[in-house]
Every structure is written in structure tokens, then in C-alpha cells.
Amino acid sequence: KILLGLPFVFDFYPHQAPVPSKRCSVKSANDKLVVSVRSLLEQREEVWSEELLGDLPHSWHWHGDLALLGEGSFNQHIWKKMEPEIWEAVALALGVKRLARVGRVSTDGYRTPVVTMLLGDDSWVSHVDNGIRYEFDVTKCMFSPGNITEKLRIASFDCRGETVVDLYAGIGYFTLPYLVHAGAADVHACEWNPHAVRALQRNLELNGVSTRCQVHQGDNRELPLCDIADRVNLGLIPSSEEGWPVACRLLKKDSGGILHIHQNMTSRPQHSETPEACLNSPVGNILDSSGNRTNAEFSRRKSTAARNCGKPSQMQCSGALRRNWQEWAESTSCRIASLLLEVHGHPWRTCVQHIEHIKSYAPHVDHVVLDLECRPA
């Protein structure tokens, strides 16, 4: 057509439905689950009730063709009478072939999950995060999808030429990002759960990095290594404090390195604090030969060794930093300085680089990671 002497060309494209969000997909699966279970109940001439509706799972994790149902679901006695048809109906609604239900983590020292297979016999699953493939036995090994933010952060580190020690490697949650994406030259992965060690070795092979990783099975406190690490990952919660002396021994004597210390923090009421206030907080420690804390301020100092972030060695803040996180970080910094003095026999300086929030538990419990720079003074 011609309008005011200018040609206009009209192109028509077929309408494409928008891709549903993850939240919509979950909601859709939940709706299918309710319809499927209710239909089966009616076929069995059982009475549907709000109580049964509340006993259905509200969350689950997909691992390939296996759905791992959340704790506290399908506890009513009626479900037992409907096996295996009930599990087949649930699997069909969720689009999987296998089902399992998770309980509380075992107190066996290995953090073994209490998982029951409901449908299917093979409990090995496959999961892909950020291009890394993890395979593991869902009934024997922990896997936390909530740790993906820390895996992505580690993937952004520049660890070329570095030796990393992962004191609590598990199936390779953090070991693999150090190798695959951060480019670590060597990684020593420590793990005492034999089932996790089997999965770790399998995952190293699957991702083509087994030649750069040495697996140490057993108690890391008995690890026969020292003076080798540029950084040590302490990814155990609720606390990794038992591994602190080992980590201090592993750091290179001449140059030191970075400790990534995981901790579950209990929140308490607080007043808001501006990022500027956080950045001006004292976050450095040096202990003299007598073990006394000296006056040291490192919050504005540039760190040439802080290659993991490439930013000033200061406490990074996003909004108001929770005061108890900062207090814990400073206390940990001082404690590590004391341990380094004890292990190496001369003063070291410790400096809080960053506090990373990983995820929250209900109520008022937060998983955080402290990046602590440790250098010979």
C-alpha cells in the first residue's frame, strides 16, 4: 500500500503462545496431581476430603525421570492401601517414571538423606547444573538445588594456576565448578561417605576433569597434606568449624590464600545498616607473637591476591548487611588468625573479603559463606 507516497510492507506472523514460567509449570503439575489422585480415589469409591488434599506434596524436585517428593506428604494410612496404583498415578501426573520421597537427614555423620523409593528400583539419578552433570544415588547422597547460586559464583572465579582443597566434597557440588569453570590447576577433594566418593569419582569422569583431581576418602582431619593450597573450600553446614585447623595447615606458608567458610546463621531483630557503614567496618585482624589482636583496618585496601572477585578486599554489601553476620565474620577472622599463628608459629593477617548469602531456611536461619583472605604478616 502507498501512504503519503511511502510504501509500507505488512508481514504477518503466526501467533506463538508464550513459554510458561517455571512457577506456572509447577502450578500446572500440581493441578494435574490433584485431579489424578482425586480421580483414583473416586474409582476406588474412597471419599475425597480437605485433609487428603493437605496431605499431597506441595513441592518436589525433578532429577531426570525421577521426582523427589518433599517431606511430610502422603502420610495418611489410605495411601498405603492404594499402592502401587497411587504412585503410578502420581508419576503420570508429574511426567516421570520413578518416584521417591525424602525425609530428614540422617544423623549417621555422613548427612545421608532418608529417602524412600516409591516407584522404580534404580535410585541413581542425573542432574545438570550450569553445564555440569552430576550423577548420584538419591537414597545415599545429599543434593541441594538451593546451592546453585554458590556454584555459579565459584564458576566465575579465576583459579587458573591455583591448587584448591575441598574439605567436604560430597558428590562434587563445588569441586566440579572449580575444575570445569574456574579452571583450577589441581583440586584435592576430601569426603568420608563411601557412597558420595563413588558418585564423586563417577562425576569427575563424566565431566572430563578426573586427571586434575585427587580424591581423599576418609576423615579430613587426618589428611596427610600441608602447605599446598591457594584456597580451601569448607562447605559443611551447619558449621565447618572442625575443619578450620586443617584449612589453616593446608594454606601455603609463603603466600597464604583464601578460605571459603560456610555457616548457618540464626537471624535476630536488627536495625538497618547502610552499605557505606558496612564498608567502613573494621574487618581485618593481625595477631602478634603473643596472640594479641593488633589495630588493623583493611576494609578499603586493594588486594592484589583477591583474584576470585577482582575487587577491593572489602566487605561487599547488598542493601543492609545483617549485623550478626558481620559480627560472626569478624569473630571468625580473629579465630582463624589465632589458629594460623598456632599452626605456623608467626603472625598472619586475616581480612574479610565478602559475605555471600546462599539461601534461607525457615524460620530465621540463613546459609552464608565467608570469603576470608589469609596472608603471612
Side-chain angles (χ1 to χ4, degrees):
K1 295 184 178 181
I2 304 296
L3 181 62
L4 297 179
L6 298 175
F8 280 80
V9 178
F10 295 89
D11 292 325
F12 295 92
Y13 298 93
H15 174 70
Q16 294 182 346
V19 177
S21 67
K22 183 177 180 181
R23 177 177 295 179
C24 290
S25 298
V26 172
K27 183 178 180 181
S28 176
N30 187 68
D31 291 341
K32 290 179 181 178
L33 176 62
V34 173
V35 170
S36 181
V37 171
R38 185 170 183 172
S39 176
L40 181 60
L41 279 166
E42 291 172 351
Q43 291 174 22
R44 300 282 292 265
E45 298 184 348
E46 299 285 354
V47 179
W48 176 255
S49 67
E50 289 297 317
E51 185 179 14
L52 293 180
L53 176 62
D55 199 34
L56 298 185
H58 301 292
S59 64
W60 51 83
H61 295 298
W62 279 290
H63 296 296
D65 68 348
L66 182 145
L68 183 61
L69 306 180
E71 181 184 356
S73 61
F74 290 111
N75 289 322
Q76 297 292 325
H77 179 67
I78 191 173
W79 310 123
K80 192 71 177 176
K81 297 192 303 180
M82 298 174 64
E83 293 179 347
E85 290 84 357
I86 182 62
W87 308 132
E88 293 169 352
V90 172
L92 182 63
L94 300 182
V96 296
K97 297 179 180 178
R98 297 178 291 161
L99 280 180
R101 181 176 55 206
V102 67
R104 294 191 179 275
V105 176
S106 171
T107 57
D108 60 359
Y110 295 148
R111 288 183 60 78
T112 304
V114 179
V115 173
T116 304
M117 291 296 296
L118 303 174
L119 183 66
D121 298 321
D122 183 10
S123 54
W124 276 81
V125 298
S126 180
H127 190 97
V128 178
D129 271 347
N130 195 27
I132 297 175
R133 185 175 178 182
Y134 300 87
E135 291 189 356
F136 59 99
D137 186 338
V138 75
T139 67
K140 303 294 184 183
C141 304
M142 287 286 296
F143 187 89
S144 176
N147 290 338
I148 182 61
T149 56
E150 182 64 3
K151 294 175 191 173
L152 293 173
R153 192 173 77 99
I154 289 172
S156 72
F157 292 174
D158 181 3
C159 297
R160 289 172 295 180
E162 291 187 355
T163 295
V164 178
V165 179
D166 189 352
L167 281 182
Y168 306 96
I171 66 170
Y173 318 101
F174 304 127
T175 296
L176 288 165
Y178 276 115
L179 289 162
V180 174
H181 295 305
D186 301 287
V187 174
H188 292 268
C190 308
E191 177 55 45
W192 68 355
N193 181 344
H195 301 290
V197 168
R198 180 186 172 194
L200 171 61
Q201 292 170 332
R202 182 168 172 169
N203 293 331
L204 291 168
E205 292 287 347
L206 283 172
N207 291 279
V209 291
S210 59
T211 58
R212 290 189 285 128
C213 184
Q214 184 174 349
V215 177
H216 303 270
Q217 182 174 348
D219 191 334
N220 61 32
R221 291 169 295 187
E222 300 174 3
L223 189 66
L225 296 174
C226 63
D227 187 25
I228 62 164
D230 295 289
R231 68 179 72 222
V232 181
N233 198 78
L234 297 106
L236 180 67
I237 54 173
S239 175
S240 61
E241 190 166 355
E242 284 192 357
W244 295 0
V246 181
C248 291
R249 187 180 77 234
L250 289 167
L251 288 176
K252 290 181 176 178
K253 294 179 181 179
D254 295 334
S255 57
I258 310 294
L259 302 183
H260 302 285
I261 304 173
H262 291 237
Q263 180 80 13
N264 275 359
M265 296 294 301
T266 301
S267 303
R268 62 175 185 260
Q270 68 229 325
H271 299 292
S272 62
E273 190 174 56
T274 64
E276 290 76 18
C278 296
L279 294 177
N280 287 323
S281 301
V283 293
N285 290 288
I286 293 180
L287 298 188
D288 61 22
S289 58
S290 300
N292 298 314
R293 180 173 174 174
T294 63
N295 182 20
E297 296 275 349
F298 295 106
S299 60
R300 293 287 185 183
R301 184 182 54 80
K302 296 281 187 178
S303 172
T304 57
R307 292 188 295 145
N308 64 324
C309 294
K311 296 178 180 179
S313 178
Q314 60 192 20
M315 192 169 303
Q316 308 292 321
C317 298
S318 177
L321 179 65
R322 299 188 179 184
R323 187 181 300 276
N324 56 320
W325 296 3
Q326 183 178 359
E327 291 172 354
W328 168 76
E330 292 176 0
S331 173
T332 299
S333 177
C334 192
R335 172 64 178 147
I336 294 295
S338 178
L339 287 171
L340 288 164
L341 174 62
E342 182 180 328
V343 169
H344 298 286
H346 58 81
W348 282 54
R349 58 176 172 80
T350 56
C351 182
V352 174
Q353 284 190 329
H354 178 68
I355 300 174
E356 181 75 10
H357 179 250
I358 306 301
K359 59 182 179 291
S360 296
Y361 300 92
H364 310 304
V365 177
D366 296 290
H367 177 184
V368 301
V369 180
L370 165 63
D371 297 344
L372 188 68
E373 182 184 6
C374 306
R375 306 292 178 191

